[in-house]
Amino acid sequence: MVEVISTDGLIGWGETARSRTAPSFWPKSQTELDALAGELAGLLKDQDLLDIEPLVDRLWAAGLPHTIVAGVEMALWDMKGKAAGMPLYHLLGGLYRQQVPLAACLGILPPEEAAKVAVGYVEQGFSTMKMKAGRNAGHDLASVKAIRQAVGPALELRIDANQAYTPLEALRLCRKLEEFDLQYFEQPCRQDMVEELAQLRQKTRTPIALNESCRTPLDMLRIARLEAADCVLPDTHLSGGIIQVKRIAAIAEAAGIPMAMHCGHDLGAKTAAMAHLVASIRGFRYASDTTIHSLEADLLVEPLRIVQGSVEVPHGPGLGIEVDRAQLQRYNTM
Ligand SMILES: [Mg+2]
């Protein structure tokens, strides 16, 4: 969590996540955290905090990694919304959707258990479920089969292998999955194998989605040129923030590639940011990944409203949330 306080007393909150996809600096002790906070404060000092894009360029130029830039940038957007008395979605272009459909995310479980969880998600009103995959192709196939048998077509089903398979392994699995009508198979192969993924897409009817391969606008341009994806899943902490996701989204929209927002075990503030992004960008056609429904607690005073598998976009200024400082203290491990 990042808190930015201006000399006028305005406060902005941001959230980011550690990224295993693209390892980058992450503070490991209070001393490292204090040093980072000091560096960031130095870069923001005497600047107009409403000039978010130039300020973000300043953070990139200082060599800060995408995970850190993303957290600070989100806090600046929250602050700007509060300064303007406007919700973030108004600053980003305006409201396309009041409710943002969610894809309930699930880890790797034995197939029967995964099927039981899927039935529970249908009962809670979710339209879409995402299941982690990639440990073993036989297991992935058995799980998809068990889930389809349990819920029929009631759920859009997507799986995410997090780069686990070789192109040949992925092709074999994709072909076997065709009869189960997946919404898509996310990141079956390594993130740098965009050409191989484009070829895979030509050889199977299982739609291919890219997440780790789609971190920057340039990545997105390459994916579009190679026609490598049926869907892309950007995320603020992977890309370096809301502006980067907007840039990726502009290219994806121009290329006619639908999008879904990805999540990183978000704790409330980042979920709110996701809702504002999806609410204000036309091309987010598919449900947004989330794990928020399965948390014991989030970090918000008022939890986000999730009704029938959709989160309501907060209408308060900025992110439209209030961070619960007691909870933050409780979970602070440094
Ligand atoms: Mg993913």
Side-chain angles (χ1 to χ4, degrees):
M1 297 296 297
V2 180
E3 182 182 22
V4 176
I5 307 169
S6 77
T7 42
D8 312 342
L10 277 176
I11 287 176
W13 282 101
E15 180 182 340
T16 188
R18 193 183 279 196
S19 159
R20 280 182 298 134
T21 302
S24 66
F25 172 74
W26 191 262
K28 286 181 268 321
S29 64
Q30 190 64 47
T31 312
E32 285 187 10
L33 186 62
D34 291 345
L36 175 63
E39 184 187 357
L40 290 167
L43 287 162
L44 299 180
K45 194 167 182 267
D46 299 328
Q47 305 293 313
D48 188 334
L49 298 181
L50 301 179
D51 291 331
I52 300 180
E53 296 207 26
L55 278 176
V56 166
D57 284 349
R58 198 176 159 83
L59 300 182
W60 288 123
L64 286 156
H66 52 281
T67 45
I68 305 299
V69 173
V72 176
E73 189 233 36
M74 190 181 292
L76 294 176
W77 279 111
D78 185 38
M79 180 181 283
K80 187 169 187 164
K82 287 170 179 164
M86 277 185 198
L88 178 56
Y89 61 75
H90 273 153
L91 301 180
L92 296 179
L95 195 68
Y96 279 104
R97 320 174 165 86
Q98 299 262 6
Q99 271 90 26
V100 170
L102 299 173
C105 294
L106 178 71
I108 297 178
L109 291 176
E112 329 68 77
E113 281 182 44
K116 264 187 218 157
V117 175
V119 170
Y121 286 156
V122 172
E123 285 165 4
Q124 288 174 53
F126 285 100
S127 64
T128 310
M129 170 178 165
K130 164 164 162 173
M131 187 185 70
K132 283 289 174 189
R135 210 175 278 165
N136 171 297
H139 184 96
D140 295 347
L141 187 63
S143 298
V144 168
K145 192 174 175 181
I147 292 168
R148 268 286 173 257
Q149 276 171 355
V151 302
L155 279 178
E156 291 279 11
L157 184 58
R158 50 177 86 157
I159 64 171
D160 181 3
N162 289 106
Q163 321 183 53
Y165 295 119
T166 66
L168 181 59
E169 288 167 343
L171 176 59
R172 285 180 174 151
L173 180 55
C174 281
R175 286 196 172 146
K176 288 175 189 159
L177 287 167
E178 285 173 2
E179 63 175 298
F180 301 107
D181 198 24
L182 290 188
Q183 186 178 39
Y184 55 69
F185 185 167
E186 179 179 334
Q187 203 70 52
C189 307
R190 235 171 48 211
Q191 64 190 66
D192 56 346
M193 289 186 155
V194 179
E195 282 172 30
E196 289 81 354
L197 286 156
Q199 288 165 17
L200 171 67
R201 190 172 162 254
Q202 298 302 321
K203 293 176 190 162
T204 176
R205 280 186 288 114
T206 295
I208 302 298
L210 297 181
N211 165 220
E212 288 96 326
S213 295
C214 184
R215 285 184 45 226
T216 67
L218 190 58
D219 290 341
M220 183 62 236
L221 193 58
R222 187 162 171 236
I223 290 166
R225 278 189 185 139
L226 291 170
E227 299 184 27
D230 295 284
C231 175
V232 289
L233 292 108
D235 197 337
T236 50
H237 76 280
L238 293 177
S239 299
I242 286 166
I243 295 163
Q244 287 289 80
V245 170
K246 289 273 285 178
R247 289 172 179 159
I248 289 170
I251 299 168
E253 281 206 70
I257 300 174
M259 292 174 288
M261 274 297 282
H262 174 264
C263 79
H265 294 279
D266 307 337
L267 302 173
K270 191 160 171 283
T271 315
M274 173 198 80
H276 285 279
L277 267 165
V278 173
S280 60
I281 298 177
R282 193 174 43 193
F284 280 107
R285 301 233 188 131
Y286 296 154
S288 305
D289 286 349
T290 195
T291 51
I292 195 109
H293 57 284
S294 59
L295 293 183
E296 179 188 302
D298 59 21
L299 294 184
L300 305 181
V301 173
E302 286 274 335
L304 296 164
R305 270 174 60 80
I306 297 174
V307 180
Q308 288 295 302
S310 292
V311 60
E312 288 180 13
V313 183
H315 296 297
L319 291 172
I321 52 141
E322 195 186 334
V323 170
D324 186 334
R325 289 178 187 274
Q327 287 286 68
L328 195 57
Q329 197 59 42
R330 181 179 161 204
Y331 290 109
N332 185 7
T333 52
M334 280 193 185

